[in-house]
């Protein structure tokens, strides 16, 4: 497994909409392995392919660090949300900045695994937050877009 560079805020790539994964092949497996490795190395808890410069709808999320448990999500679709929670959020592409963001308390998604097998996944609280944050990345959205604090940060840094 290799580690890849993280695309940072200010790069136009991060604002592009990722395309669906069409081939569930060895390249996808290698990409997911690299994403996982890159995330662990940077102490992140979630990563999307666009953050390593690949505009495909693929995500890796850490479910349990001690148990070495990770979730791979390909071409996800949110099918249900419930409730809302405000909590602090950060992002590997926005180093050093954190702010409170409102997210659903519960989310249900459907997606594919790395072999192209469909599955559904339910999450709440912290993991639901990660899922929503990463799906936003696939649509070119960053958490800093949601709050005045985040908008002030972008202005201060001179980034979009
Ligand atoms: Ni992020």
């Amino acid at each position: 497994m290799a580690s890849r560079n993280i695309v940072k805020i200010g790069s136009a790539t991060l604002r592009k909409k990722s395309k669906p994964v069409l081939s569930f092949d060895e390249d996808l497996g290698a990409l997911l392995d690299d994403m996982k490795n890159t995330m662990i190395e940077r102490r992140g808890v979630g990563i999307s392919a666009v953050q390593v410069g690949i505009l495909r709808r693929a995500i890796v999320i850490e479910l349990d660090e001690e148990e070495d448990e990770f979730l791979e999500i390909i071409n996800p679709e949110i099918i249900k949300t419930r409730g809302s929670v405000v909590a602090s959020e950060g992002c590997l592409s926005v180093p050093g900045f954190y702010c409170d963001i409102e997210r659903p308390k519960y989310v249900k998604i459907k997606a594919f695994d790395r072999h192209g097998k469909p599955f559904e996944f339910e999450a709440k609280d912290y993991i639901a937050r990660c899922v929503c944050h990463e799906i936003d990345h696939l649509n070119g959205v960053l958490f800093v877009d949601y709050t005045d604090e985040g908008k002030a940060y972008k202005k201060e840094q001179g980034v979009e």
Side-chain angles (χ1 to χ4, degrees):
M1 279 199 284
S3 181
R4 302 197 188 188
N5 288 328
I6 294 279
V7 178
K8 304 275 167 51
I9 188 167
S11 159
T13 304
L14 272 187
R15 294 312 195 166
K16 291 185 177 148
K17 194 170 166 162
S18 296
K19 294 191 169 72
V21 170
L22 300 175
S23 305
F24 294 85
D25 55 12
E26 275 174 29
D27 286 350
L28 175 64
L31 170 64
L32 290 164
D33 289 345
D34 285 358
M35 285 165 62
K36 178 183 163 186
N37 201 37
T38 304
M39 176 180 77
I40 291 170
E41 205 177 272
R42 314 290 166 101
R43 301 193 165 279
V45 289
I47 191 168
S48 55
V50 61
Q51 289 181 278
V52 295
I54 307 292
L55 287 161
R56 290 288 172 184
R57 303 183 82 79
I59 289 166
V60 179
I61 287 172
E62 180 187 270
L63 294 180
D64 191 317
E65 189 184 4
E66 281 176 16
E67 298 293 327
D68 194 35
E69 210 185 312
F70 296 87
L71 175 71
E72 295 175 346
I73 310 172
I74 316 299
N75 299 345
E77 236 181 274
I78 293 176
I79 51 178
K80 198 188 284 180
T81 64
R82 200 162 52 223
S84 77
V85 184
V86 176
S88 180
E89 216 165 286
C91 178
L92 290 175
S93 295
V94 189
F97 181 77
Y98 302 85
C99 71
D100 282 352
I101 301 289
E102 184 176 2
R103 298 283 189 189
K105 183 174 173 58
Y106 162 93
V107 66
K108 184 176 183 181
I109 60 164
K110 61 176 183 178
F112 297 86
D113 71 8
R114 66 162 65 196
H115 307 292
K117 190 180 161 206
F119 68 95
E120 291 187 348
F121 182 79
E122 290 178 291
K124 55 182 187 173
D125 298 320
Y126 179 65
I127 302 294
R129 174 170 301 277
C130 290
V131 168
C132 293
H133 176 115
E134 297 310 328
I135 290 177
D136 271 355
H137 273 301
L138 305 185
N139 298 317
V141 175
L142 298 174
F143 77 109
V144 288
D145 301 340
Y146 289 120
T147 64
D148 289 344
E149 214 182 333
K151 286 171 192 162
Y153 169 83
K154 285 193 286 186
K155 205 169 174 187
E156 194 185 288
Q157 300 285 317
V159 293
E160 285 297 321

